[in-house]
Amino acid sequence: MKDILPQLLKGFFLQWMAAGRQLSPETVASYRDAFSLMLRWFRDERGTDASEVGMDDLTAENVEEFLLYLAERRGNSAQTVNCRLAAIKAFCSYAAYRAPERLAEMKRISDIPRRTEKRREVGYLTREEVGWLLDACDAASRRGQEDHLLLSLLFSTGARISEAVALRMRSFERRGGRLSVHLAGKGRKERTLPLWPEVAGEVTAFAEERQLGADDFVFPGRNVEHLSRSGARSRIDAAVRRASELHPALAGKRITPHVFRHSCAMAMLESGVDLSTIAIWLGHESVQTTHRYMVASMSRKEDALARVHPDSRQESGCRRYRAQGDILSFLESL
């Protein structure tokens, strides 16, 4: 009798995920990678070809060993391992309804605990440091102008890099005389944000000079429709290298596209904006997600210390420094 695992996997991806849940392509790709890795683990570690893996092989013990393999042999972080586990648990929830005879084992897998993730303090840039990066963009060149606009939008809107590179000119619209941008975010959540006046002027001038139409991407790619996330990362790295020549303090910082999102949140927090508003601005579902910016704010920590010990700032002697098989083929096809 042919095992139902391949059929369930296809239904999980093509019906439950793509159609029923309307999940983003990034989420689908992440779940696909989880099962591709697990099937390869069965082949390489257990000698079971992907086409031979069945529901009887999907046990809590095997999943635990697979997760251990990811952590110890592949060197995956706890966060990555947890992402793979989330994909497997989601499939188990789907499979439990369609293969009730496997309900008990699916429940055991769903009860596997997540790994404890080590949370680093939020890394961010000050306004001055963002200014250094913007100054490093060559305003006289076409690419330099694109880089300047990209960094300006990332910092002023707190957009995720995937949101920023996918912007078309129709994403911008005037509301009450002010230019705003519509962002299609994580999990299909959408939000519209007003632009800073200087950024709005830059967007307008940029579009006019390039004669961009409503359907044109703001940041076109070389051989693809629009600039990719890796391409944007490369451009940011180049800007950091140039800026670091004049401001060595930047060289010691880990500056990724997401750091600009953190920097936007921290700039708002330092300006007195409440956490609920910051959560709405960033598109967070919960204020708890935004709370880490409060924890990361050194100035707020210093204010708290000063209230308990009013002379603490003077005692320090100086101000705080501010740095200026078939099933495998199917998964791969998604």
Side-chain angles (χ1 to χ4, degrees), residues 149 152-153 156-157 172 179 195-205:
L149 180 59
S152 295
L153 285 169
S156 63
T157 66
F172 299 92
L179 192 66
L195 290 177
W196 296 357
E198 61 270 29
V199 178
E202 186 174 357
V203 169
T204 301

Side-chain angles (χ1 to χ4, degrees), residues 237-294:
D237 288 345
V240 171
R241 287 194 297 271
R242 291 192 298 270
S244 297
E245 294 176 2
L246 291 176
H247 308 283
L250 288 175
K253 291 204 166 193
R254 182 172 177 268
I255 303 176
T256 66
H258 212 69
V259 163
F260 289 87
R261 182 171 167 83
H262 297 327
S263 304
C264 171
M266 293 301 296
M268 296 177 75
L269 182 63
E270 297 291 348
S271 298
V273 179
D274 64 274
L275 286 179
S276 296
T277 302
I278 298 174
I280 293 171
W281 189 276
L282 296 180
H284 287 163
E285 287 187 338
S286 170
V287 177
Q288 291 299 320
T289 308
T290 317
H291 180 262
R292 58 182 176 159
Y293 298 118
M294 179 77 80

Side-chain angles (χ1 to χ4, degrees), residues 6 15 19 21 39 60 81 89 116 136 141 153 207 218 224 226 248 254 265 318 322:
Q15 297 171 16
R21 297 283 173 165
L39 290 172
V81 173
K89 286 185 176 183
T116 301
S141 71
L153 285 169
V218 179
V224 290
H226 60 73
R254 182 172 177 268
C318 61
R322 287 182 179 272

Side-chain angles (χ1 to χ4, degrees), residues 27-48:
T27 301
V28 174
S30 175
Y31 279 33
R32 174 204 64 200
D33 292 345
F35 283 96
S36 294
L37 284 168
M38 188 166 67
L39 290 172
R40 288 188 171 89
W41 174 79
F42 273 111
R43 181 193 64 195
D44 298 339
E45 302 297 320
R46 295 299 177 84
T48 305

Side-chain angles (χ1 to χ4, degrees), residues 226-244:
H226 60 73
L227 182 66
S228 65
R229 288 180 294 176
S230 60
R233 174 65 184 266
S234 177
R235 291 192 177 195
I236 290 173
D237 288 345
V240 171
R241 287 194 297 271
R242 291 192 298 270
S244 297

Side-chain angles (χ1 to χ4, degrees), residues 57-225:
D57 298 302
L58 193 60
T59 64
E61 289 76 16
N62 280 340
V63 171
E64 287 272 24
E65 288 192 37
F66 167 63
L67 298 177
L68 191 64
Y69 159 80
L70 293 178
E72 296 186 352
R73 298 273 294 279
R74 290 181 63 91
N76 289 166
S77 67
Q79 183 178 13
T80 299
V81 173
N82 286 336
C83 286
R84 306 308 186 202
L85 176 59
I88 296 169
K89 286 185 176 183
F91 172 74
C92 289
S93 296
Y94 169 84
Y97 285 98
R98 290 153 183 83
E101 69 277 7
R102 305 293 305 173
L103 180 60
E105 196 60 42
M106 298 300 97
K107 176 65 168 57
R108 290 183 65 219
I109 294 173
S110 296
D111 289 340
I112 295 175
R114 289 166 51 87
R115 266 54 172 176
T116 301
E117 298 180 17
K118 182 179 179 182
R119 297 188 69 87
R120 294 182 300 181
E121 191 169 86
V122 174
Y124 66 96
L125 300 169
T126 64
R127 285 177 178 267
E128 184 179 27
E129 289 169 335
V130 173
W132 293 343
L133 293 175
L134 290 172
D135 290 342
C137 299
D138 182 9
S141 71
R142 187 181 184 88
R143 174 159 174 168
Q145 292 166 3
E146 289 182 0
D147 292 349
H148 191 282
L149 180 59
L150 176 63
L151 298 186
S152 295
L153 285 169
L154 288 174
F155 178 58
S156 63
T157 66
R160 299 177 180 87
I161 191 61
S162 58
E163 297 170 339
V165 297
L167 286 173
R168 297 177 188 262
M169 282 310 303
R170 66 164 178 258
S171 304
F172 299 92
E173 60 178 331
R174 291 205 172 273
R175 296 189 173 193
R178 178 188 288 272
L179 192 66
S180 61
V181 61
H182 184 77
L183 298 172
K186 198 174 181 181
R188 308 281 175 144
K189 294 188 289 288
E190 300 181 358
R191 64 193 187 281
T192 300
L193 304 173
L195 290 177
W196 296 357
E198 61 270 29
V199 178
E202 186 174 357
V203 169
T204 301
F206 184 90
E208 289 177 352
E209 181 179 335
R210 286 164 175 70
Q211 298 182 329
L212 298 179
D215 290 330
D216 290 333
F217 285 103
V218 179
F219 305 107
R222 181 173 298 177
N223 298 312
V224 290
E225 281 190 317

